[in-house]
Amino acid sequence: MKVAFVHDWLVTYRGGEKVLEAMLELFPDAPVFTLFYDKDQMPPSIAERTVYYPKWLNRFKRLRKLWLPLYPSIIESLPLEDYDLIISTSSCVAKGAIPGPRSKHLCYIHSPMRYIWDQRSYYLKPLARFPFVSGIIHTLSTRLRMWDTLSSHRVDQFISNSQFVKERVHKYYGRGSEVIPPPVDVERFQAKGMAAPIKSPYFLAAGAFVSYKRFDLAIEACEAAGLTLVVAGSGPDEARLRKLAGPNTKFMIKPDQQTWQSLMSQAEALIFPGIEDFGIVGIEAISAGTPLIAFRDGGALDFVQPGVTGQFFEQLSKESLQQTLEAFDPKQFDSKAMQDFASGFTKQKFQERIMSQITQLTGASS
């Protein structure tokens, strides 16, 4: 069976790329088609693959957001007609690739395009001062939504990464989907045969510094409560977050793997304040024996079990999070129970579930 992968872009190594990486192991000879490619940012498992991308477009990868209106026509131009199986991993336009007449198309969807559907207000907020520009973007977004819905019918089988995404796939595309959570390297965060990690008096917010993750809420709540917060990661929202920070907030920018593991295992809790599609960082924390304090919405509903793996706060406000933080008792959580729960999210289990879906779709295995 001749297989090809389609991924939106390969310019950073984050959760979506980890999912692709795990899928690639199932088909060692399959090439990857993408819009933008930065080989230096990829691990060997991806960098050593055959990767096809438009060379002329790749010169503009730093400005890729500006090219969004052109992505549908570019993704449709990919030469995929000779492949038996197309596997797309999509949060933008990869699912709109055109398969051959006898090809099967399986899409692992991280999210329908956030910036044209339910989270468009977050992305348009910086442009509120420019009504003319906002008007143009609204017009383009309408056209993109039409294309996004129509192109969803090129997919034979959708796999959503959470129940939250499954519901949005049905709402926006009218399509059903199976739910398979993404793979997490849980073993990396679990100290086999060792005592539970010693906790330090700080809370943690970790991941990409982007507005929808709502790290601003974590900072404001911890500062108001006088609690120490470590904000770990990197991203375009760093300057704004630093302006909000006070004496109780510390930043760890691009921590290495060992530091990341230590931060996870020693925190009293990971604050998970945004509405996430899934949230691999949440499973990493649970694997390390660290509970979550999460807003009751989004992907967190799939893995936050009150009293077992964390607890919820009910309103997306500083006051609601602050109240939950001040009443939080880390001693009520059992690290062994959390690690047992996290064992359901291993790469092996992910690959077995994916192969089961592929076999059902194609009647063949790798």
Side-chain angles (χ1 to χ4, degrees):
M1 181 167 60
K2 195 174 180 182
V3 180
F5 287 86
V6 183
H7 192 76
D8 292 314
W9 43 73
L10 291 168
V11 295
T12 56
Y13 181 65
R14 292 179 177 169
E17 288 66 46
K18 292 175 182 177
V19 169
L20 174 65
E21 186 178 27
M23 286 185 166
L24 288 174
E25 291 183 9
L26 301 174
F27 298 97
D29 299 323
V32 181
F33 291 82
T34 190
L35 296 178
F36 298 97
Y37 183 45
D38 188 341
K39 186 175 183 177
D40 294 338
Q41 298 299 316
M42 295 298 110
S45 57
I46 295 176
E48 293 174 1
R49 284 278 175 147
T50 299
V51 179
Y52 297 107
Y53 58 96
K55 302 293 193 300
W56 66 270
L57 184 64
N58 205 51
R59 293 178 293 175
F60 306 102
K61 60 178 174 283
R62 294 184 183 277
L63 302 172
R64 62 185 181 276
K65 292 180 181 179
L66 299 177
W67 292 85
L68 180 60
L70 297 181
Y71 289 171
S73 60
I74 298 171
I75 208 75
E76 289 177 345
S77 71
L78 298 178
L80 300 170
E81 58 274 2
D82 292 334
Y83 292 92
D84 303 304
L85 174 64
I86 311 301
I87 303 175
S88 61
T89 56
S90 183
S91 61
C92 189
V93 296
K95 67 148 185 56
I98 300 178
R102 293 182 178 82
S103 304
K104 296 293 186 180
H105 182 180
L106 182 143
C107 174
Y108 188 93
I109 186 163
H110 302 286
S111 170
M113 275 194 269
R114 304 178 189 94
Y115 19 87
I116 64 171
W117 292 108
D118 53 322
Q119 292 183 10
R120 60 189 182 278
S121 60
Y122 281 114
Y123 292 90
L124 287 175
K125 189 179 293 184
L127 299 173
R129 296 173 297 166
F130 310 103
F132 177 71
V133 175
S134 296
I136 293 174
I137 291 176
H138 277 297
T139 300
L140 292 173
S141 295
T142 298
R143 294 180 180 179
L144 282 169
R145 282 192 291 272
M146 293 172 63
W147 176 87
D148 198 36
T149 301
L150 290 170
S151 65
S152 69
H153 295 284
R154 298 170 187 165
V155 176
D156 294 291
Q157 173 69 53
F158 275 107
I159 297 175
S160 298
N161 63 358
S162 67
Q163 185 65 32
F164 176 60
V165 170
K166 176 178 180 174
E167 291 168 0
R168 288 157 69 215
V169 167
H170 183 265
K171 180 177 182 179
Y172 299 134
Y173 304 153
R175 298 290 305 276
S177 62
E178 297 293 323
V179 174
I180 298 178
V184 183
D185 188 4
V186 299
E187 294 86 357
R188 181 160 65 96
F189 294 88
Q190 295 179 346
K192 299 292 184 183
M194 297 177 64
I198 298 174
K199 297 297 183 180
S200 298
Y202 69 87
F203 292 91
L204 178 66
F209 296 173
V210 290
S211 61
Y212 74 87
K213 290 185 179 289
R214 298 307 309 271
F215 289 172
D216 56 326
L217 209 60
I219 292 171
E220 291 172 347
C222 285
E223 290 291 348
L227 299 168
T228 300
L229 174 70
V230 176
V231 184
S234 62
D237 216 24
E238 181 181 346
R240 184 178 72 92
L241 294 177
R242 286 189 180 276
K243 288 179 181 178
L244 295 172
N248 297 303
T249 303
K250 303 175 182 177
F251 286 84
M252 294 287 292
I253 305 302
K254 295 182 179 179
D256 60 30
Q257 188 175 101
Q258 185 174 355
T259 303
W260 186 268
Q261 292 172 225
S262 296
L263 288 170
M264 283 288 182
S265 63
Q266 294 173 15
E268 290 193 343
L270 174 76
I271 302 176
F272 198 81
I275 302 175
E276 299 264 8
D277 303 316
F278 181 75
I280 288 176
V281 68
I283 303 299
E284 290 178 344
I286 294 168
S287 302
T290 296
L292 274 62
I293 297 175
F295 179 56
R296 193 190 290 271
D297 203 351
L301 296 171
D302 286 7
F303 51 79
V304 176
Q305 296 184 351
V308 180
T309 62
Q311 65 187 70
F312 292 111
F313 64 100
E314 303 299 331
Q315 298 177 350
L316 202 56
S317 68
K318 179 191 77 174
E319 292 75 18
S320 180
L321 177 54
Q322 180 183 346
Q323 184 179 14
T324 303
L325 287 167
E326 291 174 338
F328 180 74
D329 179 13
K331 295 185 179 65
Q332 69 174 301
F333 296 94
D334 179 68
S335 60
K336 177 65 166 55
M338 285 187 279
Q339 291 178 342
D340 288 345
F341 176 85
S343 66
F345 296 85
T346 63
K347 181 174 71 172
Q348 180 181 348
K349 285 186 169 60
F350 170 81
Q351 291 174 327
E352 289 172 353
R353 292 164 181 158
I354 291 293
M355 277 309 306
S356 175
Q357 291 298 310
I358 291 173
T359 301
Q360 290 180 42
L361 179 63
T362 66
S365 64
S366 62

